[in-house]
Amino acid sequence: MQLASVAASLPGRVSRLDRAWLAIACILVLLLALSPTQAEASLIFTARALLGVAPFLVLSAGIAAYAKATGAEHLIARAFQGHVLMMVPVAAAVGALSPFCSCGVIPIIAALLAVGVPLAPVMAFWLASPLMDPSMFLMTTGTLGLGFALAKTAAALGVGLLGGFGIHLLQRRGLLTEGLREGVGNGGCGGAKIRNPKAVVWRFWDEPARRTAFGTGAVDTLLFLGKWLILAFLLESLMLAYIPAETVARFAGGDGLLQVVGAAFVGIPAYLNGYAALPLVSGLMTQGMGGGVAMTFLIAGGVTSIPAAIAVWAVARPPVFAAYIGFAVAGAIASGLLYGLA
């Protein structure tokens, strides 16, 4: 009877396991069973890679925790004030600086639209936010170099501007006048930053509760980034060991139009997490992937990954969803082509 109860509860327990840690455990078990030598080599590669990015990892966690402890996220509401043409570039810039992922930004978007903010600046924020933030900038610098990080930041701003001004032009022609589906609320608890913005307390260490929030936020961020980086470095070690460089160079080498366009559409289903994607792309570039192709993959995947697309589909009307995907893919391709020419 007890065995039957345990067996019945097993699927639920497995579904609650963290997918990153579960994937790491499965890879290591398989490697130990099939190739103990490669398991040892992969663990050494992962440990060295983690040490290499450790300063950027710690700094990223510190910045994210500081934003949470001070309440800096409440500054977002101030970006959506004034004329719509002024709001678009400000919203794109704030999106590139705010610490929200492609799914976490959804409640903010719902709240912005629900309180009457025009769709154009919201779309600029929506597209730019998943692509870059202070933590992502530091991790990109640590894995792909400062030049690539600066270029990706410029690409995030460019995609946001493309979407924002593109929506503005479409609305002037009477299109896309409604953003949210019927019945979608105002963002729930995640939208409180928009509905009830609070003052930012830069000297957070004066308040015990904010000190606690800083410590909790730093640990949570370290664990979150750490598990995805461990998984990514493990996969990178396998990729370097088992995928011939000639194969990568044949399909993703150079920065031609075909390779860049292909990277945009491959990035949509293949992209799971922005932090995990960085070491993988670094490994592929070592194998011969072109810089423009890498840029397109990261931009397209960051905005249009399947989890993010599902979240957007749940709140946005179909025409707005189509515009979101269209601007994201077009912006990713343009970013890759421009980076390839630089």
Side-chain angles (χ1 to χ4, degrees), residues 203-334:
R203 295 170 58 88
F204 74 90
W205 49 86
D206 292 336
E207 300 180 23
R210 293 183 183 274
R211 289 201 298 270
T212 302
F214 178 83
T216 304
V219 171
D220 288 347
T221 304
L222 273 177
L223 290 175
F224 176 80
L225 296 179
K227 68 184 180 185
W228 283 108
L229 287 175
I230 290 172
L231 175 60
F233 286 134
L234 268 179
L235 292 174
E236 183 184 357
S237 71
L238 298 178
M239 195 167 57
L240 293 174
Y242 294 116
I243 299 179
E246 309 83 60
T247 302
V248 177
R250 186 187 313 155
F251 291 101
D255 290 318
L257 179 62
L258 188 62
Q259 291 94 334
V260 169
V261 172
F265 289 97
V266 169
I268 295 174
Y271 195 99
L272 291 177
N273 178 279
Y275 297 101
L278 295 173
L280 294 178
V281 167
S282 174
L284 287 169
M285 291 179 73
T286 303
Q287 300 284 82
M289 175 184 267
V293 175
M295 180 65 73
T296 300
F297 178 85
L298 290 173
I299 296 295
V303 184
T304 63
S305 64
I306 290 176
I310 292 173
V312 174
W313 175 260
V315 301
R317 292 177 182 273
V320 174
F321 175 81
Y324 169 84
I325 296 294
F327 285 124
V329 172
I333 292 172

Side-chain angles (χ1 to χ4, degrees), residues 79-80 86-98 120-129 132 153 155-165:
F80 297 91
M86 291 299 297
M87 277 194 275
V88 168
V90 175
V94 171
L97 294 173
S98 61
V122 172
M123 183 63 78
F125 176 80
W126 204 341
L127 289 167
S129 184
M132 188 55 70
T153 303
L157 291 170
V159 173
L161 292 173
L162 174 67
F165 287 121

Side-chain angles (χ1 to χ4, degrees), residues 88-173:
V88 168
V90 175
V94 171
L97 294 173
S98 61
F100 295 108
C101 64
S102 52
C103 296
V105 76
I106 299 301
I108 305 293
I109 297 304
L112 287 169
L113 293 175
V115 299
V117 175
L119 181 58
V122 172
M123 183 63 78
F125 176 80
W126 204 341
L127 289 167
S129 184
L131 297 176
M132 188 55 70
D133 58 51
S135 296
M136 178 63 77
F137 182 85
L138 289 169
M139 294 309 301
T140 305
T141 301
T143 51
L144 297 172
L146 179 61
F148 196 97
L150 290 172
K152 189 173 179 229
T153 303
L157 291 170
V159 173
L161 292 173
L162 174 67
F165 287 121
I167 289 291
H168 180 67
L169 291 175
L170 290 173
Q171 289 189 318
R172 291 191 64 177
R173 296 178 177 273

